[in-house]
């Protein structure tokens, strides 16, 4: 099962909508054990964000400890696939199936690359979760805690997220913006529209607060990050009547922010604006990840050099896109992300080019050879 295409097919065929458990981990474990990896699987957490299955595989000892991180869970497939989302099918030069690029193909490519290296080349680990597409509360964070218990300390980590844009190898991620979602509820007093003096309409106060928030310019960006942005996601009143002033109005905001900010500070700033317009309001924020940056250095040079050697492409170093579990792993060691083309991830008929699967395995192999040289 070290053939990259066959392993990708087997992983796709194991349905694993987040949070993934069971059969998809069986497939990966069966591929790793013959290669000399000691595999540990464990389930962490309770409802509502758990339970979550995770896998930690380690081979070798001494020298540089290089880790590959990824996730076996996938987003729900939705309706309208040409073939079954979990029935891998090759049509032409493409392999179709949910998870083909995000990110079962990359995991298969790394296993194929590891199979080509001697077991005693150095310390190699795989940090694989079943919950990256979901809350991610008991996924990679639990794996990091388990590694700490075992005294495992990777020195370099590569995450196999689909980072390529137009062709394989044209972009790697050296950081990501942070993410926070903020829920706002402005309370008023319900009443008849003909007697507004007996009611308290919360909508004007919410609108004024949102207008001020919309005018905020958080920053102009930086050397490695685009400007931070505040985006309203929804405004809800839920009022079916035509003659009733509502008792509450709600809104939700999302902020994607660069390394000039911390999530808690942004939540506090929004809360201050809202409470100025509506003192009797409720503002609740959740930080899904802080911004982080792995400064260009040894790791990005290793990965870039391997891409250039195998693909003839000089990758762009970027921090664009959404969040990933690299936001947790960067607390352990330097992290970069590199994987397949992201054009079809989360879409109907997600697909990967067979040639790209083979080429990605070649690049990963070259990375490992340079690490352990």
């Amino acid at each position: 099962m070290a053939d990259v295409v066959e392993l990708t097919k087997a992983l796709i065929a194991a349905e694993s909508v987040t949070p993934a458990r069971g059969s998809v981990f069986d497939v990966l474990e069966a591929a790793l054990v013959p290669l000399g990896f000691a595999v540990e699987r464990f389930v962490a957490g309770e409802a509502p964000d758990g339970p979550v299955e995770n896998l930690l595989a380690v081979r070798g000892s001494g020298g540089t400890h290089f880790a590959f991180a990824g996730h076996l869970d996938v987003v729900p497939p939705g309706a309208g696939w040409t073939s079954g989302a979990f029935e891998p099918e090759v049509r032409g030069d493409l392999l179709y199936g949910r998870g083909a690029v995000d990110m079962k193909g990359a995991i298969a490519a790394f296993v194929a690359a590891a199979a080509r290296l001697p077991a005693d080349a150095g310390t190699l680990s795989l940090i694989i979760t079943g919950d990256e597409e979901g809350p991610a509360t008991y996924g990679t964070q639990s794996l990091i805690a388990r590694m700490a218990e075992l005294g495992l300390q990777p020195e370099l980590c590569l995450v196999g997220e689909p980072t390529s844009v137009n062709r394989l190898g044209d972009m790697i991620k050296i950081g990501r913006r942070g993410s926070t979602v903020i829920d706002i509820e402005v309370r008023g007093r319900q009443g008849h529209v003909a007697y507004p003096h007996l009611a308290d309409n919360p909508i004007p106060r919410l609108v004024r607060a949102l207008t001020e928030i919309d005018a905020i310019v958080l920053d102009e960006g930086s050397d490695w990050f685009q400007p931070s942005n505040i985006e309203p996601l929804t405004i809800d009143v839920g009022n079916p009547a035509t003659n009733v002033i509502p008792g509450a109005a709600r809104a939700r905001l999302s902020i994607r922010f660069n390394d000039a900010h911390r999530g808690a500070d942004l939540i506090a700033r929004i809360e201050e604006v809202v409470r100025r317009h509506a003192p009797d309001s409720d503002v609740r924020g959740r930080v899904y990840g802080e911004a982080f940056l792995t400064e260009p250095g040894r790791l990005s040079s290793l990965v870039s050099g391997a891409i250039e050697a195998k693909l003839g492409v000089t990758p762009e170093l970027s921090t664009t896109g959404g969040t990933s579990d690299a936001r947790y792993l960067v607390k352990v060691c330097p992290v970069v992300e590199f994987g397949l083309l992201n054009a079809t991830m989360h879409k109907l008929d997600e697909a990967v080019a067979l040639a790209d699967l083979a080429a990605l395995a070649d690049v990963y192999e070259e990375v490992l050879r340079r690490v352990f040289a």
Side-chain angles (χ1 to χ4, degrees):
M1 195 57 77
D3 177 84
V4 63
V5 174
E6 293 307 311
L7 181 52
T8 302
K9 287 181 178 179
L11 291 171
I12 291 172
E15 185 172 341
S16 58
V17 173
T18 191
R21 294 179 64 183
S23 62
V24 70
F25 285 93
D26 295 339
V27 173
L28 182 57
E29 181 178 12
L32 291 172
V33 170
L35 302 181
F37 284 90
V39 176
E40 177 184 353
R41 292 164 58 176
F42 64 93
V43 175
E46 299 177 350
D49 291 350
V52 172
E53 185 163 4
N54 299 297
L55 180 149
L56 178 63
V58 183
R59 186 181 75 180
S61 61
T64 300
H65 180 173
F66 186 87
F68 175 87
H71 61 91
L72 286 170
D73 62 311
V74 298
V75 296
W81 284 66
T82 303
S83 56
F86 300 106
E87 299 171 7
E89 181 175 87
V90 174
R91 300 198 299 273
D93 298 326
L94 301 177
L95 170 60
Y96 291 83
R98 174 58 85 220
V101 296
D102 190 15
M103 58 174 290
K104 293 178 177 181
I107 291 173
F110 193 81
V111 173
R116 302 172 192 171
L117 265 71
D120 60 355
T123 307
L124 186 60
S125 62
L126 284 88
I127 305 166
I128 308 295
T129 182
D131 182 26
E132 190 269 351
E133 301 289 5
T137 304
Y138 300 113
T140 296
Q141 296 184 87
S142 296
L143 282 158
I144 291 171
R146 180 58 180 154
M147 287 191 295
E149 291 173 0
L150 297 172
L152 293 173
Q153 178 68 44
E155 296 166 62
L156 304 169
C157 182
L158 173 64
V159 180
E161 288 289 343
T163 60
S164 301
V165 180
N166 297 307
R167 61 170 296 186
L168 184 66
D170 61 3
M171 181 177 290
I172 65 176
K173 305 287 187 179
I174 61 169
R176 297 275 189 164
R177 293 195 299 170
S179 172
T180 183
V181 173
I182 303 173
D183 288 295
I184 301 167
E185 179 176 355
V186 175
R187 288 182 285 272
R189 187 169 64 255
Q190 184 176 309
H192 197 294
V193 295
Y195 302 92
H197 59 289
L198 300 178
D200 179 12
N201 196 330
I203 296 175
R205 283 178 285 141
L206 177 60
V207 169
R208 287 193 291 271
L210 292 176
T211 299
E212 181 175 341
I213 291 168
D214 186 60
I216 294 173
V217 177
L218 290 173
D219 57 73
E220 300 295 334
S222 63
D223 289 344
W224 288 109
F225 286 94
Q226 65 194 85
S228 305
N229 60 300
I230 306 173
E231 299 298 332
L233 301 181
T234 184
I235 301 174
D236 300 296
V237 178
N239 184 6
T242 59
N243 58 354
V244 175
I245 292 171
R250 302 168 185 85
R252 174 173 288 172
L253 310 175
S254 175
I255 306 179
R256 294 299 171 101
F257 55 94
N258 59 36
D259 57 350
H261 308 277
R262 299 286 294 176
D265 297 334
L266 292 169
I267 294 169
R269 182 170 180 180
I270 297 299
E271 183 174 14
E272 188 275 327
V273 172
V274 173
R275 291 198 186 283
R276 195 158 10 92
H277 293 277
D280 185 23
S281 60
D282 186 19
V283 180
R284 302 178 305 278
R286 178 173 178 178
V287 179
Y288 287 89
E290 300 288 354
F292 71 90
L293 176 69
T294 296
E295 291 282 354
R298 180 190 177 194
L299 181 55
S300 56
S301 295
L302 277 169
V303 177
S304 296
I307 292 170
E308 292 169 5
K310 292 297 180 180
L311 304 177
V313 178
T314 300
E316 175 187 353
L317 305 184
S318 173
T319 62
T320 57
T323 58
S324 77
D325 276 1
R327 67 188 187 271
Y328 305 126
L329 293 158
V330 74
K331 300 172 185 177
V332 177
C333 65
V335 179
V336 301
E337 303 170 56
F338 168 60
L340 296 160
L341 271 70
N342 55 30
T344 63
M345 66 177 181
H346 293 200
K347 293 184 178 181
L348 296 180
D349 289 347
E350 180 180 349
V352 61
L354 299 176
D356 282 353
L357 280 176
L360 183 62
D362 290 342
V363 173
Y364 284 166
E365 178 189 358
E366 181 67 16
V367 170
L368 293 176
R369 294 193 181 279
R370 290 175 180 231
V371 168
F372 298 131

